[in-house]
Protein backbone atom coordinates (compact mmCIF):
# COMPACT_ATOMS: atom_id res chain seq x y z
CA UNK A 1 0.00 0.00 0.00
CA UNK A 2 1.32 3.45 -0.94
CA UNK A 3 2.05 5.82 1.89
CA UNK A 4 0.08 9.07 1.95
CA UNK A 5 2.25 12.01 0.86
CA UNK A 6 3.39 14.23 3.64
CA UNK A 7 1.26 17.36 3.97
CA UNK A 8 2.79 20.57 2.65
CA UNK A 9 3.57 23.24 5.24
CA UNK A 10 0.91 25.95 5.43
CA UNK A 11 2.13 29.36 4.25
CA UNK A 12 1.34 32.39 6.40
CA UNK A 13 1.34 36.12 5.66
CA UNK A 14 3.38 36.46 8.83
CA UNK A 15 6.23 34.58 7.10
CA UNK A 16 6.80 37.49 4.72
CA UNK A 17 9.99 39.30 5.80
CA UNK A 18 9.43 42.54 7.70
CA UNK A 19 11.45 44.44 5.09
CA UNK A 20 9.09 43.28 2.32
CA UNK A 21 6.04 44.13 4.44
CA UNK A 22 7.51 47.60 4.90
CA UNK A 23 7.73 48.06 1.13
CA UNK A 24 4.04 47.16 0.87
CA UNK A 25 3.22 49.64 3.64
CA UNK A 26 5.11 52.43 1.83
CA UNK A 27 2.70 52.06 -1.10
CA UNK A 28 -0.39 52.43 1.09
CA UNK A 29 -0.71 56.14 1.94
CA UNK A 30 -4.48 55.98 2.68
CA UNK A 31 -5.54 55.37 6.27
CA UNK A 32 -8.20 52.78 5.32
CA UNK A 33 -5.58 50.73 3.47
CA UNK A 34 -3.28 50.93 6.49
CA UNK A 35 -6.06 49.60 8.73
CA UNK A 36 -6.58 46.60 6.43
CA UNK A 37 -2.81 46.03 6.31
CA UNK A 38 -2.58 46.01 10.11
CA UNK A 39 -5.46 43.49 10.35
CA UNK A 40 -3.57 40.78 8.42
CA UNK A 41 -1.50 39.49 11.35
CA UNK A 42 0.24 40.69 14.55
CA UNK A 43 3.56 41.10 12.73
CA UNK A 44 2.03 43.40 10.12
CA UNK A 45 0.18 45.30 12.83
CA UNK A 46 3.51 46.02 14.53
CA UNK A 47 5.02 47.08 11.19
CA UNK A 48 2.12 49.51 10.63
CA UNK A 49 2.68 51.12 14.02
CA UNK A 50 6.38 51.69 13.29
CA UNK A 51 5.92 52.87 9.72
CA UNK A 52 5.48 56.44 8.46
CA UNK A 53 2.09 58.06 9.12
CA UNK A 54 -0.69 57.80 6.52
CA UNK A 55 -2.12 60.75 4.64
CA UNK A 56 -4.76 62.96 6.29
CA UNK A 57 -8.43 62.14 5.93
CA UNK A 58 -11.13 64.56 4.78
CA UNK A 59 -13.97 64.83 7.31
CA UNK A 60 -17.22 66.29 5.97
CA UNK A 61 -19.90 68.08 8.04
CA UNK A 62 -22.23 65.05 7.96
CA UNK A 63 -19.53 62.79 9.44
CA UNK A 64 -18.52 61.16 6.14
CA UNK A 65 -14.78 60.48 5.90
CA UNK A 66 -12.54 60.02 2.85
CA UNK A 67 -8.99 58.69 3.01
CA UNK A 68 -6.58 60.44 0.67
CA UNK A 69 -5.33 60.08 -2.00
CA UNK A 70 -8.66 58.36 -2.76
CA UNK A 71 -11.06 55.89 -1.18
CA UNK A 72 -14.68 54.93 -0.77
CA UNK A 73 -16.50 57.02 1.85
CA UNK A 74 -17.11 55.62 5.30
CA UNK A 75 -18.57 56.75 8.62
CA UNK A 76 -16.25 57.32 11.59
CA UNK A 77 -18.36 56.93 14.79
CA UNK A 78 -15.90 58.96 16.88
CA UNK A 79 -16.58 62.04 14.73
CA UNK A 80 -20.37 62.05 14.97
CA UNK A 81 -21.70 65.39 16.19
CA UNK A 82 -18.46 67.35 16.01
CA UNK A 83 -18.61 71.13 15.72
CA UNK A 84 -15.24 71.89 14.14
CA UNK A 85 -11.62 70.77 14.39
CA UNK A 86 -8.95 71.81 16.83
CA UNK A 87 -5.80 73.39 15.45
CA UNK A 88 -3.42 70.58 16.45
CA UNK A 89 -3.42 66.81 16.58
CA UNK A 90 -6.67 64.99 15.89
CA UNK A 91 -8.77 66.81 18.46
CA UNK A 92 -12.31 67.72 17.45
CA UNK A 93 -14.47 70.30 19.23
CA UNK A 94 -17.88 69.21 20.51
CA UNK A 95 -20.64 71.17 22.24
CA UNK A 96 -21.58 70.10 25.74
CA UNK A 97 -24.06 71.20 28.38
CA UNK A 98 -21.62 73.60 30.01
CA UNK A 99 -19.63 74.66 26.94
CA UNK A 100 -17.22 72.85 24.64
CA UNK A 101 -14.99 69.84 25.04
CA UNK A 102 -12.29 68.20 22.92
CA UNK A 103 -12.19 64.57 21.83
CA UNK A 104 -9.64 62.56 19.86
CA UNK A 105 -11.76 60.24 17.63
CA UNK A 106 -8.93 57.72 17.37
CA UNK A 107 -7.92 57.36 21.03
CA UNK A 108 -11.32 58.50 22.46
CA UNK A 109 -9.46 60.80 24.90
CA UNK A 110 -11.59 63.74 26.09
CA UNK A 111 -10.57 67.16 27.45
CA UNK A 112 -13.09 69.54 29.03
CA UNK A 113 -12.91 73.30 28.36
CA UNK A 114 -14.26 76.27 30.30
CA UNK A 115 -17.48 77.82 29.03
CA UNK A 116 -16.89 80.74 26.66
CA UNK A 117 -18.52 83.09 29.15
CA UNK A 118 -15.83 82.14 31.66
CA UNK A 119 -13.33 84.42 29.93
CA UNK A 120 -11.47 86.75 32.28
CA UNK A 121 -9.66 89.83 31.00
CA UNK A 122 -7.77 92.81 32.27
CA UNK A 123 -6.75 96.08 30.64
CA UNK A 124 -3.01 96.64 30.71
CA UNK A 125 -1.87 100.19 31.39
CA UNK A 126 1.43 101.61 32.51
CA UNK A 127 1.31 100.00 35.94
CA UNK A 128 2.53 96.63 37.15
CA UNK A 129 2.38 93.91 34.51
CA UNK A 130 2.27 90.93 36.84
CA UNK A 131 -0.94 89.20 37.82
CA UNK A 132 -1.09 90.65 41.32
CA UNK A 133 -1.25 94.19 39.94
CA UNK A 134 -4.54 93.83 38.07
CA UNK A 135 -8.17 93.09 38.75
CA UNK A 136 -9.64 90.24 36.71
CA UNK A 137 -13.05 90.93 35.15
CA UNK A 138 -15.22 88.05 34.02
CA UNK A 139 -17.13 88.44 30.75
CA UNK A 140 -20.90 88.10 30.59
CA UNK A 141 -22.92 86.14 28.04
CA UNK A 142 -23.57 89.18 25.85
CA UNK A 143 -19.89 90.03 25.40
CA UNK A 144 -18.42 86.73 24.18
CA UNK A 145 -19.39 85.78 20.63
CA UNK A 146 -17.41 82.66 19.69
CA UNK A 147 -14.09 80.87 19.79
CA UNK A 148 -12.82 81.23 16.22
CA UNK A 149 -9.98 78.76 16.72
CA UNK A 150 -8.98 76.43 19.54
CA UNK A 151 -5.41 75.13 19.71
CA UNK A 152 -4.28 72.18 21.83
CA UNK A 153 -0.71 73.31 22.54
CA UNK A 154 0.37 70.82 25.20
CA UNK A 155 -1.11 68.68 28.00
CA UNK A 156 -0.93 71.82 30.15
CA UNK A 157 -2.02 74.56 27.72
CA UNK A 158 -4.92 75.30 25.37
CA UNK A 159 -5.14 78.57 23.43
CA UNK A 160 -8.01 80.16 21.49
CA UNK A 161 -9.02 83.19 19.45
CA UNK A 162 -12.13 84.79 20.95
CA UNK A 163 -14.50 87.18 19.18
CA UNK A 164 -16.36 89.74 21.33
CA UNK A 165 -19.72 91.30 20.56
CA UNK A 166 -19.11 94.28 22.83
CA UNK A 167 -16.50 95.94 20.60
CA UNK A 168 -16.09 93.64 17.59
CA UNK A 169 -12.54 92.75 18.61
CA UNK A 170 -10.78 89.41 18.80
CA UNK A 171 -8.36 88.40 21.53
CA UNK A 172 -6.12 85.52 22.47
CA UNK A 173 -7.09 83.50 25.55
CA UNK A 174 -5.51 80.51 27.28
CA UNK A 175 -6.62 77.89 29.76
CA UNK A 176 -5.50 74.71 31.42
CA UNK A 177 -7.15 71.47 30.17
CA UNK A 178 -10.02 70.83 32.55
CA UNK A 179 -9.76 74.37 33.96
CA UNK A 180 -12.69 76.56 34.94
CA UNK A 181 -11.77 79.84 33.19
CA UNK A 182 -10.09 81.28 30.12
CA UNK A 183 -7.47 83.94 30.84
CA UNK A 184 -6.37 86.76 28.58
CA UNK A 185 -5.12 90.33 28.39
CA UNK A 186 -6.66 93.30 26.60
CA UNK A 187 -4.17 95.84 25.27
CA UNK A 188 -5.86 98.83 23.62
CA UNK A 189 -2.71 100.05 21.90
CA UNK A 190 -2.32 96.64 20.28
CA UNK A 191 -5.96 95.86 19.63
CA UNK A 192 -5.78 93.49 16.66
CA UNK A 193 -8.20 91.34 14.75
CA UNK A 194 -6.47 87.99 14.95
CA UNK A 195 -6.76 85.64 11.98
CA UNK A 196 -4.75 82.62 13.16
CA UNK A 197 -2.61 81.20 15.96
CA UNK A 198 0.06 78.50 16.00
CA UNK A 199 2.23 76.82 18.64
CA UNK A 200 5.74 76.88 17.18
CA UNK A 201 8.98 75.79 18.86
CA UNK A 202 7.32 75.85 22.28
CA UNK A 203 5.91 79.37 21.86
CA UNK A 204 2.51 80.75 20.89
CA UNK A 205 2.29 83.08 17.88
CA UNK A 206 -0.69 85.01 16.54
CA UNK A 207 -1.33 86.49 13.09
CA UNK A 208 -3.64 89.46 12.54
CA UNK A 209 -5.53 90.42 9.39
CA UNK A 210 -2.69 92.77 8.38
CA UNK A 211 -0.35 89.75 8.41
CA UNK A 212 1.57 91.09 11.39
CA UNK A 213 2.99 88.32 13.57
CA UNK A 214 2.81 88.60 17.36
CA UNK A 215 4.61 86.58 20.03
CA UNK A 216 2.22 85.75 22.87
CA UNK A 217 3.98 85.51 26.22
CA UNK A 218 2.48 82.94 28.59
CA UNK A 219 3.25 82.40 32.25
CA UNK A 220 1.67 80.38 35.06
CA UNK A 221 0.31 81.66 38.36
CA UNK A 222 2.13 79.55 40.93
CA UNK A 223 -0.69 79.81 43.49
CA UNK A 224 -3.49 78.60 41.17
CA UNK A 225 -1.67 76.84 38.33
CA UNK A 226 -3.63 78.90 35.78
CA UNK A 227 -1.81 80.06 32.64
CA UNK A 228 -2.20 83.73 31.74
CA UNK A 229 -0.88 86.20 29.16
CA UNK A 230 1.19 89.11 30.51
CA UNK A 231 1.87 90.68 27.10
CA UNK A 232 1.65 90.35 23.32
CA UNK A 233 4.50 91.76 21.23
CA UNK A 234 4.78 92.28 17.48
CA UNK A 235 7.77 90.42 16.00
CA UNK A 236 7.19 90.70 12.20
CA UNK A 237 5.49 93.46 10.22
CA UNK A 238 2.64 92.71 7.82
CA UNK A 239 2.93 92.12 4.09
CA UNK A 240 -0.51 93.08 2.87
CA UNK A 241 -3.61 94.82 4.18
CA UNK A 242 -7.30 94.19 3.69
CA UNK A 243 -9.32 90.98 3.56
CA UNK A 244 -10.66 91.77 0.10
CA UNK A 245 -10.02 94.03 -2.88
CA UNK A 246 -12.51 95.13 -5.54
CA UNK A 247 -11.15 96.03 -8.96
CA UNK A 248 -13.17 96.47 -12.19
CA UNK A 249 -15.01 93.20 -12.74
CA UNK A 250 -13.08 91.23 -10.09
CA UNK A 251 -13.43 90.57 -6.36
CA UNK A 252 -10.18 89.37 -4.75
CA UNK A 253 -10.52 87.70 -1.35
CA UNK A 254 -7.39 87.37 0.80
CA UNK A 255 -6.99 84.50 3.27
CA UNK A 256 -3.93 83.68 5.36
CA UNK A 257 -2.85 80.55 7.22
CA UNK A 258 -0.05 79.83 9.69
CA UNK A 259 1.57 76.40 9.23
CA UNK A 260 4.58 74.83 10.92
CA UNK A 261 6.65 72.84 8.41
CA UNK A 262 9.92 71.02 9.18
CA UNK A 263 10.79 73.40 12.00
CA UNK A 264 9.93 76.57 10.05
CA UNK A 265 6.91 78.82 10.50
CA UNK A 266 5.14 79.47 7.20
CA UNK A 267 2.61 82.13 6.24
CA UNK A 268 0.46 80.88 3.36
CA UNK A 269 -1.23 83.71 1.49
CA UNK A 270 -4.24 82.68 -0.61
CA UNK A 271 -5.78 85.03 -3.17
CA UNK A 272 -9.22 84.07 -4.49
CA UNK A 273 -10.24 85.74 -7.75
CA UNK A 274 -14.01 85.92 -8.35
CA UNK A 275 -15.82 87.39 -11.33
CA UNK A 276 -17.77 90.37 -9.99
CA UNK A 277 -21.41 90.70 -11.06
CA UNK A 278 -22.85 93.37 -8.76
CA UNK A 279 -22.22 95.09 -5.41
CA UNK A 280 -25.14 95.77 -3.04
CA UNK A 281 -25.28 97.31 0.41
CA UNK A 282 -25.84 93.93 2.09
CA UNK A 283 -24.10 91.53 -0.27
CA UNK A 284 -21.77 91.05 -3.23
CA UNK A 285 -22.92 89.01 -6.24
CA UNK A 286 -20.21 87.05 -8.02
CA UNK A 287 -20.02 84.82 -11.07
CA UNK A 288 -19.37 81.08 -10.77
CA UNK A 289 -15.76 81.13 -11.97
CA UNK A 290 -13.14 81.08 -9.19
CA UNK A 291 -9.35 81.09 -9.39
CA UNK A 292 -6.93 80.46 -6.53
CA UNK A 293 -3.33 81.60 -6.27
CA UNK A 294 -0.98 80.88 -3.37
CA UNK A 295 2.17 82.53 -2.09
CA UNK A 296 4.25 81.07 0.76
CA UNK A 297 6.48 83.05 3.13
CA UNK A 298 8.80 81.85 5.89
CA UNK A 299 9.21 83.70 9.18
CA UNK A 300 12.75 85.09 9.48
CA UNK A 301 12.88 85.93 13.18
CA UNK A 302 16.49 87.15 12.98
CA UNK A 303 15.60 89.81 10.39
CA UNK A 304 12.02 90.33 11.68
CA UNK A 305 10.48 89.81 8.25
CA UNK A 306 8.62 87.40 6.00
CA UNK A 307 10.81 85.81 3.30
CA UNK A 308 9.09 84.46 0.20
CA UNK A 309 9.79 80.82 -0.72
CA UNK A 310 9.17 79.32 -4.15
CA UNK A 311 8.85 75.68 -3.14
CA UNK A 312 7.68 73.57 -0.22
CA UNK A 313 10.00 70.73 -1.20
CA UNK A 314 9.29 67.59 -3.20
CA UNK A 315 8.60 65.68 0.02
CA UNK A 316 6.11 68.12 1.59
CA UNK A 317 2.37 68.74 1.17
CA UNK A 318 0.31 71.37 3.01
CA UNK A 319 -3.27 70.77 4.09
CA UNK A 320 -5.12 74.03 4.72
CA UNK A 321 -8.41 74.93 6.35
CA UNK A 322 -9.30 77.89 8.53
CA UNK A 323 -9.47 75.94 11.80
CA UNK A 324 -6.74 73.35 11.16
CA UNK A 325 -3.71 73.52 8.85
CA UNK A 326 -0.75 71.17 8.77
CA UNK A 327 2.30 70.07 6.80
CA UNK A 328 2.79 66.38 5.96
CA UNK A 329 5.83 64.49 4.69
CA UNK A 330 4.99 62.33 1.65
CA UNK A 331 8.42 60.83 0.93
CA UNK A 332 7.09 57.38 1.82
CA UNK A 333 4.49 57.15 -0.95
CA UNK A 334 3.93 57.98 -4.60
CA UNK A 335 1.87 61.16 -4.17
CA UNK A 336 3.57 64.20 -5.76
CA UNK A 337 4.92 66.77 -3.34
CA UNK A 338 5.21 70.56 -3.40
CA UNK A 339 1.42 70.91 -3.38
CA UNK A 340 -1.29 72.53 -1.25
CA UNK A 341 -4.63 70.87 -0.45
CA UNK A 342 -7.34 73.39 0.41
CA UNK A 343 -11.11 73.81 0.82
CA UNK A 344 -13.07 75.71 -1.82
CA UNK A 345 -15.75 78.14 -0.57
CA UNK A 346 -14.63 78.01 3.04
CA UNK A 347 -17.48 78.82 5.40
CA UNK A 348 -15.65 81.70 7.07
CA UNK A 349 -15.63 83.88 3.96
CA UNK A 350 -18.56 82.52 1.97
CA UNK A 351 -21.05 84.77 3.80
CA UNK A 352 -19.53 87.93 2.30
CA UNK A 353 -20.78 87.22 -1.20
CA UNK A 354 -23.68 85.43 -2.86
CA UNK A 355 -23.34 82.74 -5.50
CA UNK A 356 -25.69 80.37 -7.28
CA UNK A 357 -23.51 77.42 -6.26
CA UNK A 358 -22.68 77.60 -2.54
CA UNK A 359 -21.23 74.07 -2.44
CA UNK A 360 -17.69 73.44 -1.23
CA UNK A 361 -15.10 70.86 -2.27
CA UNK A 362 -11.46 69.87 -1.88
CA UNK A 363 -8.82 71.03 -4.39
CA UNK A 364 -5.04 70.83 -4.84
CA UNK A 365 -2.71 73.65 -5.90
CA UNK A 366 0.62 72.73 -7.52
CA UNK A 367 3.39 75.12 -6.43
CA UNK A 368 5.46 74.27 -9.52
CA UNK A 369 3.04 75.39 -12.22
CA UNK A 370 0.14 77.07 -10.37
CA UNK A 371 -2.41 74.57 -11.67
CA UNK A 372 -5.39 73.42 -9.60
CA UNK A 373 -6.89 69.93 -9.74
CA UNK A 374 -9.50 68.00 -7.78
CA UNK A 375 -8.36 64.85 -5.91
CA UNK A 376 -11.94 63.79 -5.11
CA UNK A 377 -13.95 65.03 -8.12
CA UNK A 378 -17.29 63.57 -6.99
CA UNK A 379 -17.11 64.90 -3.41
CA UNK A 380 -18.82 68.16 -2.39
CA UNK A 381 -20.79 69.53 0.54
CA UNK A 382 -22.90 72.51 1.50
CA UNK A 383 -21.31 75.17 3.74
CA UNK A 384 -22.96 75.38 7.14
CA UNK A 385 -22.38 75.72 10.86
CA UNK A 386 -20.35 72.48 10.95
CA UNK A 387 -17.02 72.84 9.15
CA UNK A 388 -15.23 70.28 6.99
CA UNK A 389 -11.72 69.57 8.20
CA UNK A 390 -8.64 67.34 8.04
CA UNK A 391 -7.89 64.38 10.32
CA UNK A 392 -4.37 63.02 10.62
CA UNK A 393 -4.32 59.44 11.99
Amino acid sequence: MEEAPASMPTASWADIPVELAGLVLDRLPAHTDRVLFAAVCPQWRAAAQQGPPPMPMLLLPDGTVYSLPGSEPFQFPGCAGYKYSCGTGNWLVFSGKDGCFLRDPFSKDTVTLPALTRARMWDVGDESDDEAGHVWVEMNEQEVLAANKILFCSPHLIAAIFSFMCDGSSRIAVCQPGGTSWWSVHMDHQAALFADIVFHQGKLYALDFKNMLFAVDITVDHSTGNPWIPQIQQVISGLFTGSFIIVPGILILNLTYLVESRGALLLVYRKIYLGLKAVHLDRIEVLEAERNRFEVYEADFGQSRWTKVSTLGDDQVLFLCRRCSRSVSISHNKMPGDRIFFMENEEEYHHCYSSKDPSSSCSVYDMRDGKVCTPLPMVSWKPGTVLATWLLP
Side-chain angles (χ1 to χ4, degrees), residues 63-372:
T64 303
V65 179
Y66 290 85
S67 280
L68 296 174
S71 73
E72 293 297 320
F74 62 95
Q75 294 292 320
F76 196 166
C79 299
Y82 83 98
K83 187 176 181 181
Y84 50 84
S85 63
C86 190
T88 46
N90 293 305
W91 299 98
L92 295 175
V93 181
F94 295 81
S95 295
K97 293 181 179 179
D98 300 323
C100 297
F101 64 92
L102 306 181
R103 178 188 294 154
D104 186 325
F106 298 96
S107 67
K108 305 298 191 299
D109 292 338
T110 300
V111 174
T112 58
L113 300 177
L116 298 185
T117 53
R118 297 282 295 176
R120 299 188 177 188
M121 306 283 175
W122 78 52
D123 288 333
V124 175
D126 297 327
E127 301 175 359
S128 170
D129 59 358
D130 59 27
E131 186 180 17
H134 298 276
V135 177
W136 289 96
V137 178
E138 188 166 337
M139 302 293 100
N140 59 46
E141 295 183 4
Q142 286 73 37
E143 291 179 310
V144 180
L145 177 60
N148 293 337
K149 182 170 183 175
I150 297 177
L151 194 65
F152 191 98
C153 301
S154 74
H156 307 289
L157 179 67
I158 293 175
I161 301 177
F162 275 12
S163 294
F164 289 85
M165 295 184 65
C166 55
D167 58 8
S169 65
S170 62
R171 302 168 197 171
I172 308 299
V174 294
C175 75
Q176 197 175 33
T180 58
S181 294
W182 295 93
W183 303 86
S184 186
V185 59
H186 179 204
M187 307 176 74
D188 285 331
H189 65 287
Q190 290 183 346
L193 291 174
F194 293 107
D196 206 352
I197 52 175
V198 67
F199 197 64
H200 171 67
Q201 301 289 340
K203 191 173 183 64
L204 185 64
Y205 292 94
L207 185 76
D208 74 357
F209 281 94
K210 295 181 180 179
N211 300 308
M212 292 190 292
L213 187 69
F214 295 84
V216 183
D217 291 338
I218 299 173
T219 189
V220 176
D221 175 49
H222 297 293
S223 62
T224 64
N226 288 317
W228 56 284
I229 300 173
Q231 64 178 351
I232 300 175
Q233 295 180 319
Q234 180 184 326
V235 292
I236 297 181
S237 298
L239 288 170
F240 313 98
T241 59
S243 58
F244 68 91
I245 302 172
I246 297 179
V247 297
I250 298 176
L251 170 66
I252 305 174
L253 298 177
N254 302 319
L255 295 180
T256 51
Y257 310 79
L258 285 178
V259 190
E260 187 175 41
S261 178
R262 295 186 295 186
L265 181 58
L266 302 181
L267 166 62
V268 182
Y269 181 59
R270 176 183 173 190
K271 302 176 72 174
I272 307 168
Y273 294 82
L274 297 154
L276 186 60
K277 184 178 180 181
V279 178
H280 305 278
L281 292 177
D282 59 342
R283 73 186 190 284
I284 299 175
E285 292 186 67
V286 300
L287 303 175
E288 303 306 316
E290 177 177 307
R291 293 189 300 116
N292 286 271
R293 292 291 181 268
F294 289 84
E295 295 177 0
V296 181
Y297 297 82
E298 181 177 336
D300 184 341
F301 292 102
Q303 298 294 325
S304 299
R305 66 183 182 184
W306 295 110
T307 301
K308 189 174 183 178
V309 297
S310 59
T311 178
L312 303 172
D314 292 336
D315 61 342
Q316 294 295 308
V317 175
L318 300 185
F319 289 82
L320 303 182
C321 71
R322 297 299 295 159
R323 302 294 180 107
C324 177
S325 298
R326 55 192 63 185
S327 175
V328 177
S329 172
I330 47 83
S331 58
H332 61 276
N333 58 56
K334 299 299 182 180
M335 174 178 284
D338 207 14
R339 301 197 301 171
I340 299 174
F341 282 71
F342 64 98
M343 309 288 189
E344 299 278 4
N345 291 347
E346 288 202 82
E347 290 82 351
E348 281 82 352
Y349 74 79
H350 182 76
H351 70 276
C352 71
Y353 67 89
S354 59
S355 172
K356 293 181 180 179
D357 182 17
S359 64
S360 186
S361 59
C362 169
S363 297
V364 185
Y365 178 86
D366 195 320
M367 287 285 292
R368 293 165 295 188
D369 56 19
K371 293 182 178 180
V372 176

